[in-house]
Structures are given as structure tokens and as C-alpha cells.
Amino acid sequence: MRKNENQNKEFKQAWNENCLKTICAFANTAGGKLYIGIDDAGKAVGVKDAARYLNDIPNKTKDILGITPEVTVKKVAGKVIIEVSVAYSSTPISYHGRFYTRSGTSSIEIKGHELAELLMSKSGRSWDGFIEDNATLKDIDVAAIKKFRALATKRIPLIAGEKSVKAILHKLNLLEKSKMRRAALLLFGKDPKKFYITAYIKIGKFANDIDLISTDDIEGNLFRQVDKAMEILRVKYLLSNISYEGIYRKDNMEYPEEALREAIINAVIHRSYMGAHTQLRISPDGLNLWNAGGLPPGIGIDDLKKWHLSKPRNELLADVFFKGGMIEAWGRGTVKIVDECKKAGLPEPEFREEFGGFSVHFHKAPLGEKWGESGEKAGRRLGERLGERLGETEKKILALIAGDKFIAIPVMAEKLGISTTAVEKNLKKLKEKGAIERVGSARGGAWRVNG
């Protein structure tokens, strides 16, 4: 990255035609400032005939881009430079028929669905608000509507006694002139993929960066996708650590359930449905949830760890999820994810804009930290139940299995710095004590910790 440049700031040593491309990108994204007379290293080199720029830049940008930025002369380190301040434009701006936006320190041309999204956002209507001409009420799942009605009666009492599916959709603003909006099909459709082929979540479990262990596709309406994804994570992909509140047993997933649910809800609400399907990747070291479409203009990665304005890509999806009680406070979803991970003793999750979309990376705590509290307690409980204490190596192996039920013996040996034979001997002891068991085949099965 060039020194001191960012999404809203760029340096040019001298004025050239590429400056208009940068101004176009600033206007389409979130505004910004272009400095003429500063080199790539951030060093002021100055400009000659500054007065000429005060006339030429506004005239050229008005003639070619249709906008007029504010141009001022400033002094930096004794050198005269030009500052061009570009405001965000509510209408799409093109440079010679091409559209540009900012991505990091670069001005990039956008085409296809990204261009369509830009044009829609500038029109004041989100993608989910457009009519789906081929859809009818026959495409709506009545059972899904009834289930939502029961959830939403507190926030929208008017639908409590409403029996007409059409009337409920109308009150949720999901109909326009008796025709279905796209949001209606995503929220309550019998088969949203019939209309939007990428409207599903793919979950994959990986042994490493390449080797896939297991995969599932989660389809159906968005409410079902959230519930089904959480269910399959709980029963198939993520180990539940066992703790006790008094005499009651409590199963806690490897990552806090509330944080995962919030992240999945955010993914289905804020994703671009013109892009690739939502992807949830589980690896030995963490969990990554990615959705197509980046952050809205004016909101950066750093803003996500504090309260921020809510600017949903899909306004209707967000509104209906809120009315259904699935979202408690707008602009706090990512804050909740961070808070829940901290409470669980895990590192803060990472938020990134990458691969044309947005992702949340959940990380496991270092082995000693994570197991220090819950693992040792579980080990003591197992020891007490079995009438003896577990050895230190047995506890460490138990911790590894708790972190990854698919972990292989060679991986355990490498992490613990012991031989595979030593691992096998300790696994045998743990099995004999009833602490663990192997479920499924040696190659495709998994470990289970018995509480």
C-alpha cells in the first residue's frame, strides 16, 4: 500500500487523465480527496502554476464527469500542492462510459452485477425491493408465513389475527401492485433457488487448506437457512464442550452460539444475491463465513466493532427480520459478535472485505488458554466420575479433540511434540476410562468426548 493512501485519499505527482478516473471512483463510493503534487511515497514535490489548476480541474470534471469538486491550494513542507475534495454522488458517475469505484487504494472499473448494484443503490431502491414478474402467491410457503406471524405479533400486532397470506405480505411491504417483491420469495418462498440460483449456504469442513472432509448445502427460505445452518453446525460440525450449572448439564459449542447465529443472519440479510452463494468454511484453526458483496459506502472495517449506522444492502430483508425478532438492535450485530466471543474467552473475530465480498473469521484460543478453564474442569469431572485423575498428556489430547473432533493422530503428535505411538497409547487409556470414543470409521469418523 502506498504510504498514507487509503480508500478516501490518493496522491498524484502531477495532473493527468487518470485523475479523472480517481475522482469518478470517489464520487461513486464514499467521496474522497485527491492531492496533486505529492509522490507515491507521500512526499510533497509541489506543482507549478497552481492558479491554472483552480480553473482547469473544475471545468474538466464538469465537462467529462458532470460534477464539480472543490479545488484548493495548500502548502505542505513548503511546497504548493492542490487538494481536490470530491463529495459522494447520489447519482452514478461514469468516465467515458465506464464506471469506477474505490477498493482500498485503487480505483477499479466495475461491470456486471457489481455495476447493476451500483445503479440500483443510486436509484434509491435495494435489490430485494424489485418485483419478480414470474412469481405468484403459489410460490409462497403458507406454513412459513404462519410461523412468522406467531413470532412477529409483538412488533406488528396488526398481523396477529390476519389469515390472508396476501394481506400479511402487503403489510410487510412485500407486494407492489399485487406483485411479489424479491424479498417475499427469499423470506417465505417454497423454493427461493428456483428464482435466485445462489440463494443458499454451503458448509464445508476441511482437514487443512485443501482436503475436504464433509459438506452440506442449506436451502429453503432465509429463516429456515439460519435455523438449519445452526442445527447442522451443532450436531455435525462443531463439538459441544460440556459444563454444568449446578446439577444441570450445559453443552457449549466451540464458538458462541449467539455470535454464530448473528453472523449467519448478517450474511443472509446483507449479501448480494447477484453474486456467489454464502460459504461457511470450518478448519482445524477456525471458522470463516463469507458472503458476496462488501460493506456499504461510509462504513469501514474499524466501524464494525462499535455502534454504527445500519445501511442494509437489502432493506426489506432487514426490516422483516427485525419485525420477526431475529434482530434486536440495528447497527449492533457485529458488536454483538465481538462481545460474545470475548465472553467465551476467544480472540476477537476478524472482519474482512475480500474476494469481492465480506467475511467474518472466528478464531480458536491458543490451546492452553482455551482448555485452561473448561478443559481442566471437564478433566477433573471425568477423573472424579471415573475414580481417578487424568494425566497431563491425556488432558492435552482431550483438549485437542474438544477443539477438533476430526483431528488425526499425526496432527496430535505434532502439536504435542510426542510420537504417534505415545498418542495412540494415551488414546487407548482415554477410551478405557470412558473419556472418549470413536464414532464412525477410522478414516471418515470423528472423536467424541464423553461428559
Side-chain angles (χ1 to χ4, degrees):
M1 182 183 292
R2 297 173 184 175
K3 187 177 180 180
N4 297 325
E5 288 187 328
N6 56 40
Q7 181 166 306
N8 308 107
K9 184 193 296 184
E10 184 163 323
F11 301 142
K12 294 289 185 183
Q13 190 163 328
W15 174 268
N16 56 51
E17 288 300 308
N18 280 334
C19 293
L20 289 170
K21 185 193 298 184
T22 300
I23 293 171
C24 170
F26 280 149
N28 283 329
T29 311
K33 292 186 177 182
L34 173 66
Y35 292 93
I36 314 296
I38 299 181
D39 65 18
D40 289 348
K43 180 182 178 182
V45 296
V47 298
K48 296 179 180 179
D49 197 6
R52 177 171 60 85
Y53 286 110
L54 295 177
N55 291 320
D56 287 355
I57 294 176
N59 289 335
K60 284 186 177 180
T61 54
K62 185 175 182 180
D63 290 343
I64 297 174
L65 303 179
I67 58 175
T68 305
E70 181 183 349
V71 183
T72 55
V73 177
K74 293 183 176 294
K75 273 197 173 185
V76 175
K79 303 287 186 179
V80 175
I81 66 165
I82 303 297
E83 180 185 84
V84 184
S85 297
V86 184
Y88 169 72
S89 174
S90 59
T91 58
I93 304 299
S94 67
Y95 171 59
H96 294 319
R98 297 182 176 183
F99 294 83
Y100 296 86
T101 59
R102 293 288 286 181
S103 177
T105 60
S106 302
S107 298
I108 58 171
E109 183 181 0
I110 57 171
K111 302 176 182 178
H113 67 79
E114 289 182 336
L115 177 56
E117 280 207 345
L118 173 69
L119 299 176
M120 280 190 297
S121 68
K122 302 287 186 178
S123 74
R125 174 182 285 200
S126 57
W127 176 89
D128 62 337
F130 284 84
I131 290 173
E132 187 56 61
D133 287 320
N134 297 323
T136 69
L137 284 175
K138 292 181 180 179
D139 294 302
I140 297 298
D141 184 349
V142 176
I145 290 280
K146 289 180 178 178
K147 185 176 180 180
F148 175 82
R149 182 179 60 192
L151 293 172
T153 51
K154 288 184 179 179
R155 289 188 174 174
I156 39 175
L158 291 176
I159 71 168
E162 185 59 70
K163 295 182 179 180
S164 166
V165 169
K166 186 174 182 179
I168 292 173
L169 292 174
H170 179 73
K171 288 176 180 178
L172 293 174
N173 199 26
L174 298 178
L175 296 180
E176 182 179 341
K177 297 178 180 178
S178 295
K179 291 188 175 183
M180 215 79 61
R181 296 184 191 267
R182 290 166 175 168
L185 296 162
L186 287 170
L187 292 162
F188 303 114
K190 294 176 181 176
D191 182 15
K193 275 189 70 179
K194 171 184 172 183
F195 298 92
Y196 318 113
I197 191 64
T198 66
Y200 68 99
I201 301 171
K202 180 177 283 292
I203 300 178
K205 173 83 174 184
F206 290 80
N208 48 49
D209 290 340
I210 300 172
D211 297 324
L212 180 66
I213 298 172
S214 181
T215 184
D216 285 277
D217 288 353
I218 312 299
E219 301 180 3
N221 69 63
L222 298 191
F223 295 113
R224 183 184 184 279
Q225 285 186 29
V226 173
D227 289 342
K228 187 65 177 177
M230 290 301 300
E231 178 187 348
I232 203 165
L233 285 175
R234 187 182 301 109
V235 302
K236 181 176 180 179
Y237 287 101
L238 298 180
L239 187 73
S240 293
N241 294 322
I242 300 165
S243 62
Y244 290 85
E245 292 182 356
I247 62 172
Y248 298 101
R249 170 173 161 154
K250 184 178 180 181
D251 293 342
N252 303 303
M253 284 201 293
E254 293 175 76
Y255 306 97
E257 188 165 345
E258 287 301 312
L260 287 175
R261 178 177 289 275
E262 193 71 33
I264 294 170
I265 289 173
N266 283 351
V268 301
I269 289 176
H270 299 301
R271 62 157 289 190
S272 166
Y273 283 91
M274 293 185 289
H277 56 270
T278 301
Q279 299 169 37
L280 200 160
R281 180 187 178 99
I282 303 157
S283 67
D285 298 322
L287 180 151
N288 175 37
L289 176 63
W290 178 91
N291 63 264
L295 293 172
I299 295 181
I301 292 295
D302 291 341
D303 297 321
L304 301 179
K305 295 185 180 181
K306 58 187 178 184
W307 179 90
H308 54 273
L309 290 175
S310 177
K311 296 182 178 181
R313 170 177 275 103
N314 301 297
E315 294 277 359
L316 289 173
L317 297 185
D319 182 58
V320 173
F321 264 77
F322 176 76
K323 288 174 177 174
M326 303 282 280
I327 301 174
E328 293 302 324
W330 286 29
R332 286 194 55 83
T334 50
V335 177
K336 183 178 181 180
I337 293 170
V338 172
D339 288 346
E340 291 295 328
C341 287
K342 284 181 177 179
K343 283 194 289 185
L346 297 179
E348 283 191 9
E350 289 183 75
F351 302 112
R352 301 180 192 168
E353 284 191 283
E354 55 187 355
F355 311 119
F358 175 78
S359 61
V360 185
H361 292 258
F362 292 90
H363 299 290
K364 293 181 179 179
L367 178 60
E369 293 178 22
K370 182 175 182 180
W371 192 248
E373 184 175 346
S374 61
E376 287 181 8
K377 286 182 179 178
R380 285 197 298 271
R381 288 195 192 97
L382 282 168
E384 290 167 4
R385 181 171 65 81
L386 300 168
E388 57 185 298
R389 288 187 173 275
L390 298 177
E392 287 303 314
T393 302
E394 291 171 314
K395 288 181 183 178
K396 290 177 181 178
I397 289 175
L398 208 57
L400 289 173
I401 293 173
D404 179 9
K405 62 184 177 182
F406 298 103
I407 192 168
I409 289 174
V411 176
M412 293 188 210
E414 182 181 351
K415 287 182 177 290
L416 297 176
I418 60 178
S419 67
T420 54
T421 303
V423 172
E424 289 170 350
K425 287 181 179 178
N426 281 280
L427 286 171
K428 184 179 179 181
K429 291 178 184 178
L430 288 169
K431 289 178 183 176
E432 291 172 350
K433 294 173 183 178
I436 62 170
E437 60 183 291
R438 185 73 181 177
V439 180
S441 65
R443 178 176 289 273
W447 299 103
R448 176 185 293 163
V449 178
N450 296 321

